[in-house]
Amino acid sequence: MAYFYLAFAIIAEVVGTSALKAAEGFTRPWPSLIVALGYGAAFYFMSLTLKTIPLGVTYAVWSGVGIVLIALAGWWLYGQVPDLAAATGMGLIVLGVAVLFLFSKTVPH
């Protein structure tokens, strides 16, 4: 269940972060509500994740996967296309998360 909670936390955070641009400094009510609900759900489910998965591992996966998903959302929603350096950096982050999962003894398997 911990990985389900983590996945839901990441998705909720990506939704909330994606709505930040549309909220325009919290001057638009509906996108602002999406931001608040997204972050609230994200932190709640992240707290459930931390009952099983260590903090460092949780945060590494949260931030690594979140970076890639936010970049994809920015591309899809706002036309913000990452350049080669950005795509390479994100690829290295994904590789780092994969190394963590495949080789670290701190990750519950």
Side-chain angles (χ1 to χ4, degrees):
M1 282 305 285
Y3 289 108
F4 170 78
Y5 293 146
L6 181 56
F8 196 81
I10 292 167
I11 291 167
E13 187 265 336
V14 168
V15 169
T17 301
S18 298
L20 271 174
K21 182 170 175 57
E24 296 179 7
F26 293 100
T27 59
R28 297 183 59 217
W30 290 111
S32 298
L33 180 62
I34 292 170
V35 171
L37 292 174
Y39 283 133
F43 288 120
Y44 172 73
F45 282 100
M46 187 177 180
S47 72
L48 296 178
T49 302
L50 293 174
K51 292 180 179 181
T52 306
I53 303 173
L55 178 63
V57 173
T58 297
Y59 199 76
V61 174
W62 160 289
S63 58
V65 174
I67 287 168
V68 173
L69 292 178
I70 286 296
L72 292 172
W75 185 7
W76 183 62
L77 295 171
Y78 304 112
Q80 300 170 341
V81 181
D83 62 10
L84 180 60
T88 301
M90 286 183 268
L92 291 170
I93 291 168
V94 170
L95 182 61
V97 172
V99 167
L100 182 69
F101 268 94
L102 293 173
F103 302 108
S104 175
K105 293 179 182 171
T106 61
V107 176
H109 294 281

